[in-house]
Amino acid sequence: MTALAPSPVLELTRGDGPLVVSMPHCGTELAPGLAERLTPEARTLCDTDWHIPRLYGFAGGLGATLLSARFSRFVVDLNRPPGGESLYPGQATTGLCPETLFDGRPLYRDGAAPDAAEIAERVEAYWRPYHDALAAELERVKARHGFAILYDAHSIRSRVPRLFEGRLPDLNLGTARGASAAPDLIARTVATMERASAAEGLSCVADGRFVGGHITRHYGRPVENVHALQMELTQDRYMNEEDEGGTGHGPAFAYRPDRAGRLQRVLVPLLETLAGWRPAA
């Protein structure tokens, strides 16, 4: 693996295998002057995909290339189209530069939301560099191996009533309803996920509430030998969603190695399946 010179907006470590792991929502930095414009709730960065680089720390050992965002999705959402069109028409969601939290509460103080010009500036300063780097890495990997596999890594609270009913399955695989990767790769990945999840007593689903965001849908082009999958994990399977200080397990958003180990016993064989897959000759 090769760690490249630091970028102001992303971290990139190159591997020598066909797998690229993208982590677009793990960033916690804010653009200058943004914090004071946010509501107290938003300043906790509550909708972050907490600890995803740590959870997938094993992926480098599989030869994967690792790409992660430094800045919060509250600056700009890297998994939304740059034009801001909805990925889930008719359903509640958040936008390119979100103005609400997942639960519907306001993200900005009154009158502090960005205008169209500021949104365009954020796209150029933060969204564009991440996608330029991701596209370049996929091309590099494809040039070396003849194909590339993109795994877009996400997490979310297990219950968000505004976005979905009840509790999410623990692992939510998205394939753009079968369009973003080769059928054989999808079938092998789903089989591995189901087998490993059952062994750990975890639940899973493919193309349920989350079928894949912009990254999966845009880059997943199996006819061009680029295959993309998204994974949305419930956060209570590897961290505290709430303050659990009274149980001795620490504050909200704290990483829980005891829980993470169980989840990693599913994620490791899942990524091994991806890293070891080869298209039919």
Side-chain angles (χ1 to χ4, degrees):
M1 297 184 67
T2 303
L4 303 185
S7 160
V9 299
L10 57 89
E11 294 185 9
L12 173 61
T13 302
R14 282 181 176 155
D16 58 7
L19 180 60
V20 176
V21 177
S22 164
M23 296 168 275
H25 289 159
C26 65
T28 56
E29 296 183 34
L30 293 173
L34 181 56
E36 52 265 33
R37 296 165 58 186
L38 302 181
T39 62
E41 296 82 9
R43 284 200 296 272
T44 69
L45 304 182
C46 50
D47 294 340
T48 299
D49 290 7
W50 298 102
H51 312 296
I52 286 294
R54 181 176 179 179
L55 185 67
Y56 285 99
F58 63 86
L62 301 177
T65 291
L66 309 176
L67 179 65
S68 59
R70 292 181 179 274
F71 281 82
S72 169
R73 67 188 303 161
F74 292 169
V75 177
V76 66
D77 193 327
L78 301 173
N79 202 27
R80 298 292 184 269
E85 56 269 26
S86 177
L87 294 172
Y88 295 93
Q91 300 183 53
T93 186
T94 54
L96 176 64
C97 289
E99 295 187 20
T100 62
L101 303 176
F102 285 167
D103 62 12
R105 290 180 294 175
L107 195 150
Y108 289 93
R109 295 182 179 277
D110 288 345
D115 59 17
E118 182 179 354
I119 291 172
E121 290 173 359
R122 293 188 194 182
V123 167
E124 291 304 314
Y126 304 100
W127 190 98
R128 193 73 60 193
Y130 189 90
H131 282 269
D132 286 348
L134 179 55
E137 290 307 306
L138 291 171
E139 283 299 316
R140 178 186 66 83
V141 166
K142 180 180 171 181
R144 178 169 184 171
H145 297 278
F147 70 101
I149 301 173
L150 169 61
Y151 180 90
D152 205 40
H154 297 263
S155 71
I156 193 170
R157 294 171 67 90
S158 59
R159 295 180 184 273
V160 185
R162 177 173 170 263
L163 300 185
F164 49 84
E165 294 183 4
R167 177 189 164 86
L168 275 177
D170 300 315
L171 295 96
N172 301 265
L173 183 70
T175 72
R177 300 183 179 90
S180 64
D184 178 64
L185 176 59
I186 293 173
R188 290 171 184 256
T189 303
V190 171
T192 300
M193 178 179 69
E194 291 178 343
R195 182 173 58 251
S197 295
E200 294 298 326
L202 300 176
S203 58
C204 63
V205 69
D207 290 318
R209 171 59 178 85
F210 298 100
V211 302
H214 173 72
I215 289 173
T216 304
R217 301 185 203 189
H218 177 74
Y219 293 101
R221 301 175 183 177
V223 296
E224 299 177 15
N225 296 314
V226 179
H227 310 268
L229 304 165
Q230 176 179 296
M231 179 62 76
E232 193 87 51
L233 304 171
T234 56
Q235 292 180 336
D236 65 348
R237 292 306 188 186
Y238 72 91
M239 57 173 271
N240 291 341
E241 291 184 348
E242 305 288 351
D243 190 331
E244 300 188 18
T247 66
H249 292 304
F253 314 141
Y255 189 76
R256 292 285 300 276
D258 56 327
R259 297 178 183 176
R262 181 185 180 198
L263 184 56
Q264 286 172 325
R265 288 193 291 273
V266 178
L267 296 175
V268 169
L270 186 71
L271 264 66
E272 286 177 340
T273 296
L274 295 176
W277 181 82
R278 298 294 182 270

